[in-house]
């Protein structure tokens, strides 16, 4: 029979997945508001952020209660303290989605600089990273966590590509500078979300394998080889 | 008389300050290696990172032991779980210092693009933010934490300024693009360290005041208004 503590842990897992789903949704709304020139969608991102912030506080509180009342040991203790770190990252990812939405509102007021192809691609990969790293944590799946780390290179690659393209626009026509800078910030926000997901994935791998993957050179370091 | 638990908490505080000091030193070495064209100093940053990583693992372990063996309650419990989040941020700041050192090594092989004035200024402010946010946490000082949040605007302002300057170089002379991009990355790393410190400061304020400052608009959001 499931104990009360096991039920509480199960609830914690469900809450974590729910919070990650809200972050994914926020990223999607923010980027779609740009792609579809729909500033109302951008405003919905702000409401989504409120929900994410509320969930962070609620989960943090639940974890403190579990620590104070259940005195978990070994793997359960590690799981709960890791959950507390993860929600901090999820909340910061939500902040980045809001930053994207703010840029989308500005960009939507001006003619589109170029067709948005790589940015939705970056967003799609980034969302999959957020989803999968939480699944990897909850289901204790180091292989899935590793695939999240690998996807960070794809995001960095797309980011470099967009950055170079935008630089060309800026150099050939100063009229495009403001829009190009807004778009660079959008890409940087996506890249930071991907960085957060990668950091979490490294923590999951470390937790599961007790291998200090994050401190070795086999995973590309955060921020290497790209700029915006 | 001081209990054994109080001594352990005191040790934790000292370790946190020591880890922060290592991060400050890493930032300083990385930026000075650029300013003084001294690539040996850059290599010392890599050694410093090893120490930072070791401290993260050791402190995390101590915190888990405190939770498992001492069953702390209320403020002590919150302090220990916050410490576990803080060391994650400190470790990521160390990664950024390494990124700066790597760029410095590349930049030191070419003629200096421009005198480095704003970058050391950014580094100085960023180091003070790292130091002060840990002092604010350990000494439970919300006022000091607030001053850290305020300094983030200074770093963002300098970052914007350097970015615009470098953009001008790139536009007027394509020969400068590679060096300018390296310098933009250096600035972005410093700005990210400042972001980490600001996030921590918001957490400290929240912990001390139980006021959700981080979720309201009175603190400038991470990444707003700047690019690199």
């Amino acid at each position: 029979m499931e104990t009360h503590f096991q039920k509480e842990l199960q609830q914690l897992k469900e809450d974590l997945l729910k919070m990650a789903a809200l972050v994914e949704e926020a990223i999607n709304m923010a980027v779609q508001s740009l792609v579809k020139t729909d500033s109302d969608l951008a405003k919905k991102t702000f409401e989504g952020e409120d929900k994410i912030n509320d969930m962070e506080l609620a989960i943090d509180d639940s974890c403190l209660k579990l620590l104070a009342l259940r005195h978990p040991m070994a793997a359960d203790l590690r799981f709960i303290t890791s959950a507390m770190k993860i929600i901090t990252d999820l909340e910061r990812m939500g902040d980045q989605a809001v930053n994207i939405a703010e840029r989308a509102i500005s960009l939507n007021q001006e003619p589109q600089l170029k067709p948005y192809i790589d940015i939705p691609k970056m967003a799609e990969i980034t969302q999959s990273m957020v989803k999968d790293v939480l699944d990897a944590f909850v289901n204790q799946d180091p292989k899935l966590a590793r695939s999240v780390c690998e996807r960070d290179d794809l995001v960095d690659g797309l980011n470099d590509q967009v950055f170079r393209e935008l630089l060309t626009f800026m150099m050939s026509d100063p009229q495009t500078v403001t829009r190009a800078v807004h778009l660079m910030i959008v890409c940087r926000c996506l890249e930071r979300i991907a960085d957060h997901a990668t950091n979490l994935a490294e923590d999951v791998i470390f937790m599961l394998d007790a291998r200090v993957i994050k401190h070795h050179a086999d995973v590309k370091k955060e921020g290497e080889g790209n700029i915006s």
Side-chain angles (χ1 to χ4, degrees), chain A:
Chain A
M1 211 192 91
E2 218 181 19
T3 65
H4 198 70
F5 177 58
Q6 282 167 336
K7 275 185 203 155
E8 286 166 334
L9 277 186
Q10 189 52 40
Q11 183 63 49
L12 173 58
K13 286 179 187 176
E14 282 165 26
D15 287 345
L16 287 170
L17 294 178
K18 203 171 146 193
M19 188 173 169
L22 287 176
V23 172
E24 273 179 77
E25 199 192 342
I27 302 167
N28 189 44
M29 283 194 296
V31 172
Q32 286 305 315
S33 74
L34 183 66
V35 174
K36 295 182 178 160
T37 335
D38 177 354
S39 293
D40 285 339
L41 209 50
K43 285 168 197 158
K44 280 191 190 154
T45 314
F46 305 148
E47 293 162 26
E49 199 216 6
D50 288 340
K51 283 192 225 166
I52 292 168
N53 293 344
D54 290 344
M55 277 210 85
E56 185 201 7
L57 299 178
I59 297 174
D60 202 63
D61 203 49
S62 305
C63 288
L64 282 175
K65 280 191 185 128
L66 284 174
L67 291 174
L69 303 176
R70 303 286 175 202
H71 305 316
M73 299 296 291
D76 291 336
L77 174 60
R78 167 69 73 185
F79 185 86
I80 294 166
T81 56
S82 298
M84 293 179 86
K85 293 182 187 182
I86 285 173
I87 54 174
T88 304
D89 276 292
L90 286 175
E91 189 268 332
R92 292 181 190 169
M93 293 182 202
D95 282 348
Q96 298 293 342
V98 165
N99 288 343
I100 295 172
E102 285 169 349
R103 300 296 160 173
I105 290 173
S106 300
L107 282 161
N108 289 345
Q109 288 160 0
E110 294 190 65
Q112 198 168 311
L113 187 60
K114 65 184 216 70
Y116 302 135
I117 295 163
D118 289 325
I119 288 176
K121 249 191 242 171
M122 277 179 81
E124 203 181 311
I125 301 170
T126 303
Q127 283 172 69
S128 80
M129 291 169 75
V130 176
K131 184 186 182 307
D132 289 348
V133 74
L134 264 287
D135 282 344
F137 175 65
V138 165
N139 300 317
Q140 314 269 297
D141 182 346
K143 203 173 148 198
L144 189 59
R146 260 185 213 98
S147 85
V148 172
C149 296
E150 284 158 16
R151 268 172 273 172
D152 194 38
D153 289 345
L154 298 177
V155 174
D156 287 347
L158 284 167
N159 192 25
D160 286 350
Q161 198 171 307
V162 178
F163 184 80
R164 275 192 299 268
E165 238 183 292
L166 291 172
L167 216 53
T168 316
F169 273 104
M170 290 163 102
M171 284 173 171
S172 58
D173 176 9
Q175 294 280 324
T176 64
V177 167
T178 308
R179 277 169 291 167
V181 167
H182 281 310
L183 287 171
M184 282 176 177
I185 291 174
V186 167
C187 289
R188 188 198 50 173
C189 291
L190 288 171
E191 192 246 320
R192 284 204 185 178
I193 296 172
D195 280 346
H196 279 292
T198 305
N199 283 327
L200 289 184
E202 289 165 356
D203 292 341
V204 169
I205 295 165
F206 176 66
M207 189 179 74
L208 297 178
D209 288 6
R211 279 177 43 196
V212 196
I213 187 173
K214 64 192 284 195
H215 299 155
H216 287 294
D218 53 335
V219 166
K220 198 162 166 278
K221 274 199 200 71
E222 180 185 1
E224 217 170 66
N226 62 80
I227 166 67
S228 68

